[in-house]
Amino acid sequence: MEKLSPELQSGLKVASCLGSYVKKSTLDIISIDVDVGLLEVLEEVSRKGFMDDVGDRFRFCHDRIEQAAYDMMSPDERRAKHMRLGLLIWAHAVIGNESDEMLFLSLNQINRGGSHLLSDFNQRNTISSLNLRAGKRCIAMSDFASAQKFYESGISFLNNDHWQHQYELSLELFEASIDVACTLNNAELLN
């Protein structure tokens, strides 16, 4: 993998951040801002045997290939790439589009990046609100464990003075988190 060109390595890194498979429609969104034609790059990576081109997506041939591509990045680089990818997907696909899939994909990336990478009050507020919305959608699908993760992430994106300036959002996130903890019988979160 290290013998591949920097462009192909970059494509593998992006794909590994997105998971075991990447939809081509997602690549179109990301390619707009990363200055690389990811579709062409992953087609080349596929020809070299690292990924399979399966209809509307690319899939890693093996989970160890995915992990090796992910391990080519330092932990800080991974977090930064997750945040950048999440914000790109959110900006281009979620705004004006109520697709649960794109909401979950963008938030999973942003949350993996971590709240410490965002300092803008409005962005942090928006991400907290989106995590609340994603958690509620998970509850509607009876996916309580995922809902809990979204609520916890939403809380982590609240600003330091959230009880003064984000009271309603803070209250909703904490109440929802406690409700799910009760449902899951998660005594650790209840203490």
Side-chain angles (χ1 to χ4, degrees):
M1 201 175 288
E2 291 175 354
K3 294 180 181 181
L4 296 174
S5 71
E7 190 174 74
L8 296 183
Q9 286 184 23
S10 178
L12 280 169
K13 289 175 183 179
V14 168
S16 71
C17 283
L18 293 169
S20 60
Y21 71 89
V22 183
K23 284 192 167 186
K24 291 178 181 177
S25 58
T26 304
L27 292 175
D28 292 340
I29 294 165
I30 296 169
S31 291
I32 294 168
D33 288 305
V34 295
D35 300 327
V36 175
L38 287 172
L39 184 62
E40 295 78 22
V41 167
L42 292 188
E43 285 172 346
E44 180 64 24
V45 165
S46 180
R47 282 192 288 278
K48 293 195 179 284
F50 293 98
M51 297 186 86
D52 293 322
D53 186 345
V54 186
D56 69 337
R57 65 189 66 196
F58 288 97
R59 179 184 65 207
F60 279 97
C61 293
H62 195 281
D63 61 341
R64 295 216 176 167
I65 294 173
E66 177 189 352
Q67 189 61 48
Y70 197 68
D71 289 343
M72 287 194 305
M73 299 176 284
S74 70
D76 287 342
E77 185 183 356
R78 289 179 204 151
R79 285 188 288 276
K81 194 168 291 291
H82 282 298
M83 181 61 72
R84 182 173 181 208
L85 292 172
L87 291 173
L88 285 172
I89 295 166
W90 172 66
H92 291 286
V94 174
I95 296 174
N97 179 355
E98 290 301 312
S99 162
D100 283 350
E101 179 183 15
M102 295 310 277
L103 174 67
F104 294 149
L105 177 61
S106 64
L107 283 176
N108 281 326
Q109 291 298 311
I110 291 168
N111 293 343
R112 288 184 76 183
S115 60
H116 66 284
L117 292 178
L118 287 182
S119 58
D120 180 78
F121 177 88
N122 291 328
Q123 267 189 324
R124 291 176 67 91
N125 189 57
T126 299
I127 301 304
S128 288
S129 296
L130 288 172
N131 272 292
L132 177 63
R133 183 171 16 165
K136 288 178 179 180
R137 288 188 178 165
C138 288
I139 295 292
M141 295 183 280
S142 299
D143 184 356
F144 300 104
S146 293
Q148 184 65 49
K149 289 177 185 174
F150 283 118
Y151 294 145
E152 288 173 6
S153 292
I155 289 168
S156 77
F157 278 94
L158 291 170
N159 293 288
N160 290 335
D161 58 355
H162 61 92
W163 288 115
Q164 287 79 32
H165 300 288
Q166 298 168 288
Y167 183 80
E168 292 298 322
L169 177 58
S170 299
L171 191 61
E172 270 193 90
L173 279 165
F174 279 95
E175 284 180 345
S177 182
I178 289 168
D179 286 346
V180 170
C182 289
T183 302
L184 295 173
N185 197 24
N186 188 340
E188 205 174 288
L189 286 171
L190 294 172
N191 290 330

